[in-house]
Amino acid sequence: MLLRQLPRFEAAVACNYSGKLPTVVNRGHTYRAWASHQSSILTAGTMANIGIDSPIEADTYYMGPGTLRISRKVLHGKLRGRLLERMQAVLPEEKRGWVFLEGGKEPHLYSSDGEPLFRQESYMHYLFGVQEAGWFGAMCVKSGRTLLFMPRLPESYAVWMGRLKGPEEFRKKYGVDDVHYVDETSDVIRRLAPPCLHVLSGVNTDSGLAVQHPAAPHAETPLEKDTLFDIITECRVVKIPEEAEIIRYANRIGSQAHVAMMRFARPGVMEYQLEATFLHHCYLTGGCRSPMFTPIAASGTNAAILHYGHAGAPNDRQTAPGDLVLMDCGCEYYVYGSDITTTWPVDGKFTTQQRVVYEAVLSAQREVEAAMKPGIAWPDMHELAYRRILEGLMAAGVVTGGSVEELIAADIGALFMPHGLGHFLGLNTHDVGGYPPGASPRSAKPGFRSLRTARVLQPGMVITVEPGCYFNPALLLPALEQDPAKAKYLVRVAVLSYMAVGGVRLEDNVLVTETGIERLTHVPRSPEEVEAVMAGAPWP
C-alpha cells in the first residue's frame, strides 16, 4: 500500500545507495567516507547472500525495494558454525549435548490485552533469526543439526492475526533442518536422548541482570549451565562480515536521518518534532521500523542530561534561538542497530562558547579514532578523550591550576564527562561481553568506572566512540561549593557562564579492522560542515 501511495519511493531509495565517494585520510588512518552499499570488506560468497541486490529466496529478510536483503540461512548458519566450533573445542565427545534456547514471550501491558511490538530475545535471534514469540531453538553440538519448536496456534489466529503457517513453511523461512511444535518438545528431546541440554545461565555484565535459563523440557535430560553463556557471548562480541554489513546499513539510514533533522531544525520546533523526523526518515526510506532505543532529543540545558528523553522528560521542550541541540538516536534493522549522536545549533550558527566545547569534543573523537587499532586498551582511549577535552577547556579558561595530568589525577575529567567513552554495539544498544571472565576488571575511578568495557580492541568488534562535555549543575555545583580539592581547578565564573551551553556529545559507530577502524557513521562533524549542511549545502 505504501508503494502505491508513493510511486517515487523506490527510485528515491535507490539513489541513496548508488554513489561512491572518495576515501578520506584522517590523522594517518584511512576511512571510507560513505561506503557503498556492498562493502569491499565482504567476500564474494557474502556478497551473494546479503546486500541490496541479493536473491530473494524463501529465507530472505528484507523490507521492500532498496532495503538490505539478508539470507537467514547463510547468516545464522555461519553464526551457529562459530558457536559449534567453540563448543566442540571445550567439550569432550561424550559431553556434547544440544544447545537449547528459549525465545522471547509476547509481553502484555500490565493487566490489559495490549501488546507492544514484539522484539526477539537477542541470543535467540543471534542463532536462529526467529521473528515470532513463544519459540524454542536447538542445535546438536556433535553434528550441528538444528531444530525449531513453534507454538501450536488456534484456528482463530487466522481471523485476527493472519494465515496460519505450518512447520515446513517455517523450516524454509529459517533455514533449519526441522521444525516441530512446542507441545512436542519433550517427546523430541526424549527420542534424541542427548547427554544434556546446554542452556544460558549467567549475568549480563553491562546491566547486572541475570539471563534466565529455560525449564527442562524432559525430566530425564539434565540442563548443563556452565558452558554456553560465556562462549556465545564472546561470539557476539566479534562480528562476522554479514553482521557488520547489517550494522553498516543501519548506520547509513541513521546517518541520513540525522542530516534530515539538521535540515528540519529551526528555533521554535519542539524536541519531539526532531525525534519524529528521525523516526519517520528511518522507517520511510530504510524499512527500520523501530528505534534502537528511546531517542534523546535534548535542547538547551537539557543536553547536559545524559539519558534525557525518558517518560519523565519526554523530549517536550520548545527550542529557542541560540540553543544547542543534542540528538542521540539510532535505528534498528533485523534487530541489529546504530547509535549515533550529533550536536548542533538549532538556528544553524555556533556561538563562541558552543564552538569551544564542540571543538574540544570533536578533537577527542578524532584523536581516539585515529589511535584505535587491535591491541589498544579501551581505558587508554577514555583517558585520551579526557586529555583532549581538558586541553580545550583549559585553553578557554574554564579549568586551570595545573597540568592536564594533574586534572586527570584529580578526576576533573569525570566532572565534565561522567560516562564511559563508548560501548559494544550489535543486537543490543549496549551489547554484551564488556567484562568477560579473565578480562580486566571494572575500574573504581570516577568516569572510568562507567566504562562499559575495559577490553583490548580486536578485529571485528563494533564499538561506539562518544566523547562528551557537559555543564551539568548536579556535578559541577557540588564540586565548586563543597569540594575544595576539585574547586581549585575550576574557574567559577567561566563554569557558570557555560551552563547555558548544556552539553556536547559526538558519537560514531566504528568497526575495528586489522589495521585500524572503519567508521560506519557518516554525518557532518566539523563546525563548518554542520553550519553548511544546516544552511542547505549537500551532504555528503
Side-chain angles (χ1 to χ4, degrees):
M1 190 67 180
L2 175 63
L3 295 183
R4 294 194 186 99
Q5 293 171 348
L6 299 173
R8 292 189 298 276
F9 173 75
E10 182 173 354
V13 171
C15 68
N16 287 335
Y17 307 102
S18 60
K20 291 186 178 180
L21 293 175
T23 297
V24 173
V25 178
N26 184 356
R27 298 185 183 270
H29 284 260
T30 300
Y31 303 98
R32 270 190 290 281
W34 190 248
S36 62
H37 70 271
Q38 303 277 21
S39 170
S40 60
I41 289 178
L42 300 183
T43 64
T46 302
M47 298 279 282
N49 294 290
I50 189 168
I52 304 300
D53 303 316
S54 58
I56 302 176
E57 307 291 352
D59 69 316
T60 298
Y61 174 90
Y62 86 122
M63 290 293 288
T67 63
L68 193 69
R69 301 176 189 175
I70 300 164
S71 168
R72 294 184 178 93
K73 185 175 183 178
V74 170
L75 171 64
H76 299 291
K78 289 186 177 182
L79 296 175
R80 291 192 294 265
R82 292 175 78 210
L83 176 64
L84 185 68
E85 180 180 353
R86 298 185 186 192
M87 294 281 285
Q88 289 177 346
V90 301
L91 291 171
E93 180 79 18
E94 68 276 8
K95 293 187 177 181
R96 296 175 185 173
W98 283 68
V99 169
F100 187 67
L101 295 184
E102 181 178 11
K105 299 180 177 68
E106 194 82 66
H108 286 264
L109 294 174
Y110 308 112
S111 61
S112 77
D113 63 353
E115 300 170 354
L117 183 65
F118 175 72
R119 187 189 194 272
Q120 186 57 267
E121 192 277 329
S122 294
Y123 287 101
M124 182 71 169
H125 181 85
Y126 182 77
L127 284 192
F128 297 104
V130 172
Q131 290 177 269
E132 297 83 6
W135 286 56
F136 292 80
M139 179 182 72
C140 178
V141 179
K142 292 182 180 180
S143 66
R145 183 184 173 198
T146 50
L147 304 177
L148 286 172
F149 299 90
M150 59 179 285
R152 193 185 297 272
L153 300 171
E155 293 296 328
S156 60
Y157 181 96
V159 176
W160 299 100
M161 306 296 284
R163 180 177 62 86
L164 288 171
K165 300 173 184 177
E168 179 60 18
E169 186 172 352
F170 280 119
R171 185 189 68 80
K172 293 178 180 178
K173 177 179 179 179
Y174 293 122
V176 295
D177 292 306
D178 211 349
V179 178
H180 302 278
Y181 287 104
V182 169
D183 56 31
E184 299 170 334
T185 306
S186 180
D187 289 340
V188 171
I189 298 299
R190 178 181 54 79
R191 291 196 302 269
L192 293 172
C196 63
L197 295 178
H198 306 287
V199 295
L200 291 171
S201 182
V203 175
N204 183 319
T205 59
D206 189 87
S207 67
L209 300 177
V211 176
Q212 300 297 324
H213 64 77
H218 181 59
E220 297 177 9
T221 306
L223 300 183
E224 191 277 301
K225 306 173 187 176
D226 298 328
T227 307
L228 177 61
F229 180 76
D230 288 339
I231 293 178
I232 192 173
T233 296
E234 192 63 18
C235 285
R236 281 179 57 183
V237 170
V238 177
K239 273 60 176 180
I240 65 173
E242 287 85 352
E243 291 180 286
E245 186 68 358
I246 303 170
I247 299 171
R248 189 179 287 112
Y249 176 83
N251 264 270
R252 174 180 294 279
I253 300 303
S255 294
Q256 293 171 346
H258 273 265
V259 173
M261 290 189 291
M262 294 169 69
R263 298 196 191 285
F264 174 77
R266 63 190 183 279
V269 302
M270 301 296 292
E271 292 169 332
Y272 69 78
Q273 291 179 299
L274 296 171
E275 174 189 8
T277 301
F278 178 87
L279 298 174
H280 172 77
H281 185 94
C282 291
Y283 200 6
L284 179 69
T285 69
C288 299
R289 187 175 190 182
S290 301
M292 191 65 174
F293 51 89
T294 302
I296 298 170
S299 64
T301 56
N302 289 339
I305 303 170
L306 300 182
H307 283 173
Y308 181 78
H310 57 85
N315 297 331
D316 60 352
R317 179 181 178 272
Q318 186 175 29
T319 63
D323 275 351
L324 207 57
V325 176
L326 187 157
M327 301 298 306
D328 187 340
C329 314
C331 60
E332 181 178 287
Y333 191 83
Y334 197 62
V335 187
Y336 291 86
S338 59
D339 182 0
I340 302 167
T341 306
T342 55
T343 306
W344 28 268
V346 73
D347 50 13
K349 289 290 183 181
F350 287 97
T351 67
T352 300
Q353 286 188 329
Q354 290 170 352
R355 189 162 183 143
V356 164
V357 181
Y358 188 93
E359 289 185 335
V361 175
L362 180 61
S363 173
Q365 186 183 54
R366 285 177 169 171
E367 290 283 346
V368 166
E369 291 183 0
M372 289 175 67
K373 61 182 179 180
I376 293 292
W378 195 235
D380 292 343
M381 297 295 94
H382 184 85
E383 182 171 328
L384 176 59
Y386 274 168
R387 289 180 181 278
R388 297 299 171 259
I389 291 169
L390 289 172
E391 285 171 357
L393 295 178
M394 187 176 293
V398 177
V399 296
T400 190
S403 66
V404 169
E405 286 71 22
E406 288 179 80
L407 269 64
I408 291 175
D411 299 324
I412 302 303
L415 290 178
F416 293 96
M417 186 177 107
H419 60 75
L421 176 62
H423 51 81
F424 290 138
L425 177 69
L427 293 171
N428 296 109
T429 306
H430 301 146
D431 215 9
V432 296
Y435 290 93
S440 298
R442 188 183 294 272
S443 172
K445 284 178 61 64
F448 289 88
R449 65 187 173 214
S450 297
L451 281 169
R452 297 182 184 272
T453 186
R455 295 183 60 159
V456 170
L457 299 178
Q458 57 182 295
M461 288 179 169
V462 176
I463 194 165
T464 67
V465 181
E466 50 178 308
C469 181
Y470 315 89
F471 289 82
N472 190 313
L475 288 173
L476 291 171
L477 292 183
L480 283 169
E481 298 167 2
Q482 303 168 22
D483 191 343
K486 289 185 171 60
K488 68 180 182 179
Y489 296 110
L490 302 174
V491 180
R492 181 183 182 89
V493 173
V495 169
L496 295 178
S497 73
Y498 272 81
M499 287 290 186
V501 171
V504 172
R505 182 165 63 251
L506 303 176
E507 182 176 14
D508 286 343
N509 307 161
V510 305
L511 170 67
V512 181
T513 67
E514 295 291 341
T515 58
I517 63 165
E518 177 193 351
R519 186 190 296 124
L520 306 178
T521 306
H522 188 61
V523 293
R525 282 299 186 210
S526 73
E528 294 78 15
E529 288 173 338
V530 169
E531 291 181 350
V533 167
M534 296 191 73
W539 183 265

